[in-house]
């Protein structure tokens, strides 16, 4: 069970963009090096074979270019695992958020061992779609025909819409268009809490879903006011109260401070209207979340609930992305993939234009073993060193994040200005400028954190010759 998702509709975001954000976390005790790449049409397989299951399929012969953040090694031991990206048509996809279900669902539609999973979804869908809605329909068709071996939530976005799809058992699925004026929190639970079957502009679902629900008595909504997928398909376990719902509570506490809620409540809404517009900086902060300024902060020395709630910014995060699809921009600069590697409380988030043919080596050429020539490994080393002296190190990390994010904004602004003036610009050079600055500042932060950690070693002795 890993990952935390935040979705922000275009009227709730700071600049009218649709924003899709997710941490990609490994299971407990694991982590996976990641790489940021561009997949060209000639590199997209025409016959696809899954590594983790016996699933295989012939793919269309007309893929388009897309960015991805696969496991280092391309593919790694568990497959390509593309995770997230933006394609040539400026459609974004994030896959997946592992979600919960219940025994009634799994008994009515068992998971399919030879079906698809997180490893496969981006590769099977993103190179073939021209809109977020098309992404839902293509993935839904594959799910109905071939099934899945796990329960997942998947996000699609374009300049106008964000769609959220949740798998239901082996072959069924539901999807909702995110309202434009809200944000969504989804922490490893089946999240949708409202669904309308006769509203196809905003809700989509597998072909036999209504009959299947009736047949297996899955509708648990006593009021009959509307169908609640969370009651029907989701879970309400003790584990959810400690692993899942507190993460949604923390995000909603920040974006709606006027609302009082219980972090263990099963009634936390899937979406809310924020008290103000949501920024990239807000999302980065929220995805660092370890219950700062609450009684559940594990770094508070007096804390008696250290193991109580699962943080958002957990130690085993591999990569974090914000897929920004901007309105009213030229095609080449509409899609921006903000990216971070490693444990979020100790790293930053920087932007890269996605209509490019290559990505910077600092984020692309991630080795499988530690190297300070790699952003992934340097970020992980910084986090491991800084964690032991968290309070003293956070001012350094905060300054680093603010500085590098500001540089990212400055590069975006320079490209936008050049476009408006008809001046030549090169997006790969702009991405390289961001990467070069990130590398310099990350190495400088490592130097400071390593110096502090060395001075706090247990074998330190104050007297010297």
């Amino acid at each position: 069970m890993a990952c935390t998702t935040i979705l922000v509709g275009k009227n709730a975001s700071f600049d009218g963009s649709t924003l899709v954000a997710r941490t990609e976390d490994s299971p407990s005790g694991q982590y996976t090096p990641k790489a940021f790449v561009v997949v060209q049409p000639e590199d997209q397989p025409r016959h696809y074979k899954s590594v983790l299951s016996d699933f295989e399929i012939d793919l269309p012969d007309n893929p388009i270019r897309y960015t991805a953040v696969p496991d280092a090694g391309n593919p790694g031991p568990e497959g390509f695992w593309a995770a997230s990206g933006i394609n040539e048509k400026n459609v974004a996809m994030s896959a997946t958020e592992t979600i919960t279900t219940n025994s009634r669902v799994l008994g009515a539609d068992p998971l399919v061992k030879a079906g698809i999973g997180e490893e496969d979804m981006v590769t099977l869908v993103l190179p073939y779609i021209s809109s977020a809605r098309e992404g839902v329909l293509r993935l839904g068709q594959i799910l109905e025909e071939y099934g899945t071996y796990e329960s997942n939530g998947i996000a699609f976005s374009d300049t106008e819409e964000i769609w959220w799809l949740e798998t239901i058992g082996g072959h069924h699925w539901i999807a909702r268009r995110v309202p434009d004026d809200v944000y969504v929190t989804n922490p490893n639970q089946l999240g949708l809490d409202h669904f309308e079957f006769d509203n196809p502009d905003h809700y989509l679902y597998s072909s036999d879903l209504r009959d299947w629900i009736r047949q297996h008595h899955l509708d648990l909504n006593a009021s009959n006011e509307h169908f609640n997928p969370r009651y029907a398909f989701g879970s309400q376990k003790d584990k959810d109260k400690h692993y899942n719902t507190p993460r949604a509570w923390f995000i909603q506490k920040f974006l709606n401070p006027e609302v009082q809620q219980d972090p263990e409540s099963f009634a936390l809404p899937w979406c809310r209207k924020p008290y103000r517009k949501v920024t990239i900086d807000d999302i980065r902060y929220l995805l660092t979340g370890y219950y700062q300024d609450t009684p559940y902060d594990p770094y508070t020395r007096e804390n008696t609930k250290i193991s109580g709630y699962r943080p958002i910014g957990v130690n085993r995060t591999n990569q974090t992305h914000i897929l920004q699809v901007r309105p009213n921009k030229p095609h080449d600069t509409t899609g921006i993939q903000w990216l971070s590697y490693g444990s979020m409380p100790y790293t930053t988030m920087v932007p890269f234009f996605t209509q490019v043919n290559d990505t910077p080596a600092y984020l692309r050429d991630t080795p499988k073993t530690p190297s300070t020539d790699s952003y992934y490994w340097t970020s992980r080393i910084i986090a491991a060193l800084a964690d032991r002296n968290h309070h003293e190190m956070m001012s350094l990390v905060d300054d680093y994040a603010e500085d590098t994010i500001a540089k990212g904004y400055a590069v975006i602004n320079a490209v936008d200005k050049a476009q408006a003036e008809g001046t030549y610009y090169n997006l790969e050079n702009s991405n390289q400028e961001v990467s070069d600055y990130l590398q310099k500042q990350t190495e400088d932060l490592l130097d400071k954190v390593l110096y502090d950690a060395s001075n706090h070693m247990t074998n330190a002795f104050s007297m010297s010759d």
Side-chain angles (χ1 to χ4, degrees), residues 293-330:
D293 299 320
T294 78
Y296 315 109
D297 182 346
Y299 294 103
T300 300
R301 293 179 178 86
E302 308 81 46
N303 192 356
T304 60
K305 301 184 179 183
I306 288 178
S307 61
Y309 294 155
R310 190 268 210 203
I312 298 171
V314 75
N315 63 323
R316 47 191 163 87
T317 299
N318 300 318
Q319 61 95 9
T320 302
H321 53 267
I322 304 173
L323 306 177
Q324 179 183 14
V325 187
R326 305 193 298 166
N328 306 316
K329 296 294 181 184

Side-chain angles (χ1 to χ4, degrees), residues 281-296:
D281 311 62
D282 293 332
I283 296 174
R284 181 259 165 193
Y285 171 78
L286 291 169
L287 294 179
T288 71
Y290 49 90
Y291 308 106
Q292 302 94 304
D293 299 320
T294 78
Y296 315 109

